[in-house]
Amino acid sequence: MRVEIWSDIACPWCYVGKARFEKALAAFPHREQVEVVHRSFELDPGRAKSDIQPVIGMLTKKYGMSQAQAQAGEENLGAQAAAEGLEYRTRDRDHGNTFDMHRLLHLAKEQGRQDELIQAFYKANFAEERSLFAEGDERLVELAVAAGLAAEDARKVLADPTAYADDVRADEREAAELGANGVPFFVLDRKYGVSGAQPAEVFAQALGQAWGERSPLTLIDQGSTGADGDACGPDGCAVPPRP
Amino acid sequence: MRVEIWSDIACPWCYVGKARFEKALAAFPHREQVEVVHRSFELDPGRAKSDIQPVIGMLTKKYGMSQAQAQAGEENLGAQAAAEGLEYRTRDRDHGNTFDMHRLLHLAKEQGRQDELIQAFYKANFAEERSLFAEGDERLVELAVAAGLAAEDARKVLADPTAYADDVRADEREAAELGANGVPFFVLDRKYGVSGAQPAEVFAQALGQAWGERSPLTLIDQGSTGADGDACGPDGCAVPPRP
């Protein structure tokens, strides 16, 4: 079974929702047969890479919240994160463009390090004092190395803005096609969806339901006029008539 | 969309079927959104690693064919391969255990090199004079390096018989669950199956059908008693009531 998770590094609910999902997955009897893939979704794709702002300032400016409202939202998110055992800095976090991080996540996917890297990005963004955005590319390289990637691979991707850009865009297009307007968005075997940071119980139910309803395949062949496909099995390979 | 292909390196129809599938995929308008994954299936899992035999001898011994029948089968397979533009040695090929190759294919999957490696194995087994089986582990290391893996990574996997062994077994278990008795076996989005080396037209039809019938997701949530999952979207993040 495959679970795809659309998320953004700048999305607090993605950070919290991942922990809730993982709690359900850890208790799922067939967890060894569940493959998790992270997909890209940018909450703020139009923001320039150079445009880095404190989260609270961004919330007041972009969504017209009062300073107090914005701070209260962060405190609430912090409490929800804490309930999942996650660190969350409710003050002085930065907000910025995450496109390069998504490109690096696609590199990491190819090397089997995607989960390690997204977790490193989340921790850097939500739990650590240092800004994830304000220190430039070398900060991302450092996190990539911590996740098990080679520094030179990460630098190469960062130096070439086209590297994995199409993969990020393809993920985002697919999110739209699947009806995801926000993140986190979880898709199980392309059949069931879970939208948002639902409680672990909901993820447990979704995993069980998707597992139980894995449906038999519909076989496609040449129809009544054609022959079966030639195959090899325990009794040897079909020997075709001489073509 | 995802296409999973169960196959064995020792399976001539897998070699031919892969080419036919790729022909259909190359002409498929949404090919950029198709991800291909190779899954393990051993035709002869009980064969000892040291038990290497000429294919013709294996066919006569294992399936009771006459030498002429076995050779005719190989000639036919060679003609089918040639029709797909593939080289195929109809004489003096070897047969042996492929478990270690499948373990290496799982290593290659983690590094985004799976297609390169299975192609290298097929070519070595079906097109080249040198035996894929008779030269020991270093032959496999050589092919892994040609497919873009690090020699030391491949050697480490070969030296540890448990490395990726569970992944190979899990693939094989899943093949049985999906109803595959022989290979190649193609599975599209876990919904459609194509059994055997069908003509490219059948793969084209299967791709089109699976693409066209990508069904809307069934959303799972807390039901009528619960709240929606908290999420972040273009309009900001849901701010929950203080927990």
Side-chain angles (χ1 to χ4, degrees), chain A residues 177-226:
Chain A
E177 285 169 11
L178 290 165
N181 302 312
V183 281
F185 195 82
F186 301 76
V187 175
L188 295 82
D189 271 351
R190 290 290 166 115
K191 194 172 172 192
Y192 290 99
V194 177
S195 177
Q198 304 266 358
E201 294 70 33
V202 173
F203 291 114
Q205 186 198 330
L207 285 166
Q209 198 159 335
W211 183 266
E213 294 180 21
R214 287 174 306 154
S215 53
L217 299 173
T218 303
L219 287 180
I220 295 178
D221 57 27
Q222 297 169 79
S224 56
T225 59

Side-chain angles (χ1 to χ4, degrees), chain B residues 86-104:
Chain B
L86 298 172
E87 285 181 81
Y88 191 98
R89 290 180 66 223
T90 57
R91 289 178 189 273
D92 303 326
R93 272 202 311 117
D94 274 347
H95 178 73
N97 183 295
T98 56
F99 191 62
D100 286 347
M101 298 172 208
H102 285 293
R103 295 195 299 112
L104 287 173

Side-chain angles (χ1 to χ4, degrees), chain A residues 81-94:
Chain A
E84 301 304 329
L86 298 172
E87 285 182 80
Y88 191 97
R89 287 181 68 224
T90 56
R91 291 179 186 272
D92 303 325
R93 271 201 314 117
D94 274 346

Side-chain angles (χ1 to χ4, degrees), chain A residues 118-131:
Chain A
I118 199 167
Q119 205 50 46
F121 284 155
Y122 280 145
K123 191 161 176 286
N125 190 34
F126 293 113
E128 290 177 19
E129 289 261 340
R130 289 169 63 185
S131 170

Side-chain angles (χ1 to χ4, degrees), chain B residues 38-221:
Chain B
H38 296 284
R39 301 269 181 216
S40 302
F41 190 107
E42 293 163 281
L43 287 172
D44 201 356
R47 178 171 298 270
K49 196 175 162 180
S50 58
D51 185 4
I52 301 157
Q53 290 185 8
V55 165
I56 300 292
M58 179 276 291
L59 290 171
T60 56
K61 208 172 293 175
K62 190 168 174 188
Y63 303 115
M65 292 182 185
S66 73
Q67 186 98 4
Q69 274 176 320
Q71 188 59 48
E74 282 295 287
E75 302 292 343
N76 278 333
L77 280 162
Q80 299 270 355
E84 301 303 329
L86 298 172
E87 285 181 81
Y88 191 98
R89 290 180 66 223
T90 57
R91 289 178 189 273
D92 303 326
R93 272 202 311 117
D94 274 347
H95 178 73
N97 183 295
T98 56
F99 191 62
D100 286 347
M101 298 172 208
H102 285 293
R103 295 195 299 112
L104 287 173
L105 283 167
H106 278 276
L107 166 69
K109 177 166 178 261
E110 286 195 353
Q111 305 197 0
R113 298 282 173 191
Q114 201 183 30
D115 197 70
E116 288 84 348
L117 186 58
I118 199 167
Q119 205 50 45
F121 283 154
Y122 279 145
K123 191 162 176 287
N125 190 33
F126 294 112
E128 290 175 21
E129 289 261 340
R130 288 170 64 184
S131 169
L132 175 58
F133 298 95
E135 294 182 32
D137 285 355
E138 278 306 303
R139 176 78 172 121
L140 302 187
V141 172
E142 195 182 298
L143 292 164
V145 168
L149 300 181
E152 59 179 327
D153 289 352
R155 277 194 199 106
K156 216 158 107 183
V157 167
L158 290 167
D160 172 9
T162 68
Y164 299 104
D166 286 350
D167 297 286
V168 176
R169 297 299 175 221
D171 278 359
E172 294 178 333
R173 212 167 37 236
E174 210 157 35
E177 284 169 10
L178 289 165
N181 302 311
V183 281
F185 194 81
F186 300 76
V187 175
L188 295 83
D189 271 351
R190 290 289 167 116
K191 193 171 172 190
Y192 290 100
V194 177
S195 177
Q198 303 266 359
E201 294 70 33
V202 172
F203 291 114
Q205 186 198 330
L207 285 166
Q209 198 159 334
W211 183 265
E213 294 180 21
R214 286 174 304 154
S215 53
L217 298 174
T218 303
L219 287 181
I220 295 177
D221 56 28

